[in-house]
Amino acid sequence: MNWQTLSEHQKKAARVLRHAVRRGELAHAYLLEGPKGTGKRQAAMLLAQTLFCEKPRDGEPCLDCRNCRRVASGNHPDVIWVRLEENAATIKKDQIARLIKEFAYRGVESAQKMFIIEDAEKMTVQAENSLLKFIEEPYPGTHALLITEHMHQLLDTIISRCQVLTFVPLSVEAVARRLIEDNQPPHLARIAAALTQDYEEAVALCRDEWIADARALVLQLVQRLHKSSEPALPLLYEKFSLNFDNQQRTAVGLDMLLFWYRDILSLHVGRPKAVVYSDQLDTLKDQALRLSESRSVQAMSLVLDARKRLDAHVNGLSVWEQLVIRLGGLITA
Ligand SMILES: [Zn+2]
């Protein structure tokens, strides 16, 4: 992660932090809050690398010097991470006490020190109170970063001592772009980003072979639905029952099908950039000629109905069967 990328995803948080670093006016404590997968941890690491980099360029850390690498691997002596210990449900007072003891000494290698508390809302009240005293009277040159997905589970007194930076969910386009930059295949990147806006979950999806197979099956289904020569139902019995073998996978399959009809709708309303199956543009255009705007909306609502039936614990294969019959009726009507 560099500042350029952070600014693209989290414009406001990046601007505040970068500006403070440039002017040497970092606050003593920041609270990085927002949903999972929005880059809070990466932003904390970037800030640490920026402070300790040996060869920064135009305010960007080099990401390659000894310090940048030690920050990235969690081995820099002046950057201390506090997180849940293995199998623990809370961050305990002891952990904060040890942290404070560490900070009683000057930076080992420089005049600056930083600590980063992940899942800060998991601190016990005692831990929070110890921390509170510490951030009320910080040692010079110390910086605290608290990271949380649930800010309001923290004591108000902690929140009020911190400068709060809100991290917003990434857009589908932003997640897809970042996946493609990280060398994930574009066709999978788009579907993964549409399925989850959590970057790390999206990476895991791209690496899961099942997703590629599921996507290929959904594409086969939509082609058969639009061709009278090849019936769609046998595909369900031959392939879908094996691949969509549990409720969660069936739900993903239905979402993939929903994106297909949403793509057709996107073409109708002149939003080609929103298309998820962008490598299937010719097929999408062809189907859009035969499925009007209003009928593509109807197709979407049939898929959403199927999702509801699945949530009501109807068997996955029967959900597909009913849906395929209804879609077939809609398309040939
Ligand atoms: Zn560096």
Side-chain angles (χ1 to χ4, degrees), residues 79-277:
V79 180
I80 296 173
W81 293 80
V82 178
R83 43 174 81 95
L84 282 173
E85 286 173 349
E86 222 173 81
N87 301 323
T90 54
I91 296 174
K92 303 199 172 59
K93 194 182 168 186
D94 288 2
Q95 285 175 271
I96 303 299
R98 264 181 302 193
L99 174 75
I100 294 172
K101 211 169 145 199
E102 283 273 349
F103 272 77
Y105 308 107
R106 234 184 119 237
V108 177
E109 295 188 6
S110 69
Q112 309 220 63
K113 270 193 160 213
M114 176 179 277
F115 67 87
I116 301 157
I117 304 183
E118 289 188 60
D119 300 309
E121 80 284 355
K122 300 266 164 69
M123 281 188 283
T124 61
V125 175
Q126 292 88 333
E128 281 190 85
N129 279 318
S130 308
L131 182 72
L132 186 62
K133 277 184 222 135
F134 185 53
I135 54 181
E136 276 172 340
E137 294 163 29
Y139 303 115
T142 62
H143 307 287
L145 298 180
L146 277 60
I147 298 177
T148 183
E149 288 167 29
H150 308 282
M151 176 169 85
H152 295 291
Q153 291 174 17
L154 282 160
L155 293 177
D156 287 343
T157 40
I158 293 263
I159 299 173
S160 67
R161 295 285 162 193
C162 296
Q163 184 167 346
V164 177
L165 298 173
T166 296
F167 282 61
V168 293
L170 271 59
S171 67
V172 172
E173 289 77 18
V175 175
R177 207 164 46 233
R178 218 179 125 195
L179 289 168
I180 294 166
E181 278 166 19
D182 290 347
N183 297 318
Q184 301 297 342
H187 67 290
L188 292 185
R190 288 199 185 83
I191 199 100
L195 288 167
T196 171
Q197 269 119 287
D198 178 327
Y199 179 71
E200 262 127 54
E201 265 176 39
V203 171
L205 282 178
C206 287
R207 290 187 182 143
D208 186 348
E209 275 175 31
W210 179 83
I211 284 288
D213 292 345
R215 182 184 185 274
L217 281 180
V218 169
L219 289 177
Q220 273 185 44
L221 177 65
V222 290
Q223 288 187 347
R224 287 201 188 188
L225 278 168
H226 285 258
K227 263 191 225 157
S228 48
S229 57
E230 277 184 289
L233 282 173
L235 184 67
L236 300 184
Y237 308 129
E238 287 156 21
K239 305 264 179 71
F240 274 48
S241 55
L242 292 174
N243 273 271
F244 300 101
D245 54 357
N246 62 35
Q247 199 196 15
Q248 193 202 350
R249 287 182 164 184
T250 307
V252 171
L254 290 172
D255 283 346
M256 288 181 171
L257 186 60
L258 181 69
F259 302 151
W260 181 264
Y261 290 107
R262 199 177 64 188
D263 279 358
I264 293 181
L265 181 65
S266 295
L267 293 180
H268 279 303
V269 299
R271 292 188 61 223
K273 279 198 174 151
V275 165
V276 171
Y277 293 97

Side-chain angles (χ1 to χ4, degrees), residues 49 52-56 60-69:
Q49 287 173 320
F52 292 99
C53 178
E54 293 165 348
K55 288 179 279 181
E60 288 280 0
C62 72
L63 305 182
D64 193 43
C65 70
R66 185 161 167 259
N67 278 349
C68 283
R69 280 185 281 127

